[in-house]
Amino acid sequence: MATGGSRQGSLPACRSFSFCAKIDTRRALHSARRGVVLSGDNFSPVSRSVGKHPTGRQNKGGTIVRAEAPVKKALPKSLTPQRLVELYRKMLLIRHFEEQCSPAYRQGKMGGYMHVYIGQEAVATGFIAHMRDDDYMICSYRDHGHALARGTDPRPVMAELFGRYTGVSKGKGGSMHLVDVQRGFLGGYGIVGGMVPLAVGVGYGIRYRGTDQVCLCFFGDGAMNIGPVHEALNMAAVYKVPVVFICENNRYAMATPIEFASAVPNLAERARQYGMPTKQIGGMDLLEVYQEAEEIIHHVRHTPEPFFVEVLTYRFEGHGIADNPTNQALYRTKEEVEYWRQRDPIVSTARFLIENGIASESELLEWDSIAKQQALEAVAFADASPEPPLEELYRDVYTDMEVQEWR
Ligand SMILES: Cc1ncc(C[n+]2csc(CCOP(=O)(O)OP(=O)(O)O)c2C)c(N)n1
């Protein structure tokens, strides 16, 4: 892999940070030249208040306490430079894919609703990197990143968003119901917390068969106020199922800051009461997520027992496609969003690659344009794909399962 060879001439006249906000690779290169520090200190408080809750609580944005040491900046032992590049390119693909989603939705190409994962890419990428081919995963409606991180082809993913027959769920699921059973991706789910009891069932199945597979279960902080999630966590610990519960705490459930909805906003602390190991980790730095995920998944695979990990992250966009900037201003400030944008996982990984001589500026730009091209191809594929035929309407509604012997 080439190192150092910069391609100054190909960079835009990128004078202001905001100009570069959407073009992450360029933003990273720009900030690298300016010497801006974009990582470390992930979770220091954001010291302002936005809204006031009827209970009198204020959204101070800063009550989350980091339990762990700040970002590690060395390459984890098990992570080769080549593998890091692969993961970086995965994050780029997720980002570019989702940047194509909002305009497509606004052009009326997608039905239903749509939530993007922009800002949280390091979480899915860092955890899924440790999945074996025969492992399982399941997640919420913010599922595009998880599918792409698992290696699902972006074209059928986009086609699913467009409601086309070539989509991963034959166009019948849409954005919130991606699935790729061949890769052990058991689906995105629109019911908040709904995937958690299902993951316990999957974990129980693994225990029953006696294999050393694991199931990764991704859900948001809002799910921690859903009753069945707590029943499921309790059962998981009682039955010692090999499930990693990954709570992606992006601080908001729609427009509700976590402090308004959770009496104990430290969710790892809450989950600790279920008698399983828990940990709170940073979710904006790919290297940190990767390293922590490796240890956690290894533990669950070999112990086996469940593990609850709260990953502190942030979504840069609104809750969903209808959550516009005017609405967002009611519950969070531009400064808060900018604070987290400064910790953009794509930007900090790009800087790591450059500063450690793993990639050159021209390589970063090339990978960026390849990822964008893949996203555009996915849109073109979806556009050109047929709609499901009418007779598909009732197919797959109930399974045509043959009764087989168990085990
Ligand atoms: C059981 C249930 N209650 C309410 C809703 C409406 N709803 C959709 S998303 C959402 C917020 C969930 O927030 P969180 O779990 O933190 O996930 P995030 O959107 O932050 O990823 C709510 C309340 C729902 N889909 N399901």
Side-chain angles (χ1 to χ4, degrees), residues 141-142 190-192 220-223 226 250 252-254 315 319:
Y141 48 83
R142 216 176 279 286
I191 302 297
V192 172
D221 45 281
I226 298 284
N250 63 13
Y252 293 94
M254 299 183 88
R315 61 165 157 80
H319 164 73

Side-chain angles (χ1 to χ4, degrees), residues 145-166:
H146 301 78
L148 296 174
R150 184 58 173 153
T152 305
D153 187 330
R155 290 171 302 176
V157 176
M158 190 65 85
E160 186 57 42
L161 272 57
F162 280 43
R164 302 304 170 106
Y165 199 35
T166 52

Side-chain angles (χ1 to χ4, degrees), residues 375-388:
L376 291 171
E377 278 167 18
V379 172
F381 174 82
D383 263 332
S385 294
E387 303 215 332

Side-chain angles (χ1 to χ4, degrees), residues 50-51 113 252-256 315 317-333 337:
V50 181
Y113 202 52
Y252 293 94
M254 299 183 88
T256 306
R315 61 165 157 80
E317 304 290 321
H319 164 73
I321 189 73
D323 188 8
N324 60 37
T326 312
N327 188 45
Q328 285 172 52
L330 297 172
Y331 67 88
R332 63 184 190 179
T333 63
V337 179

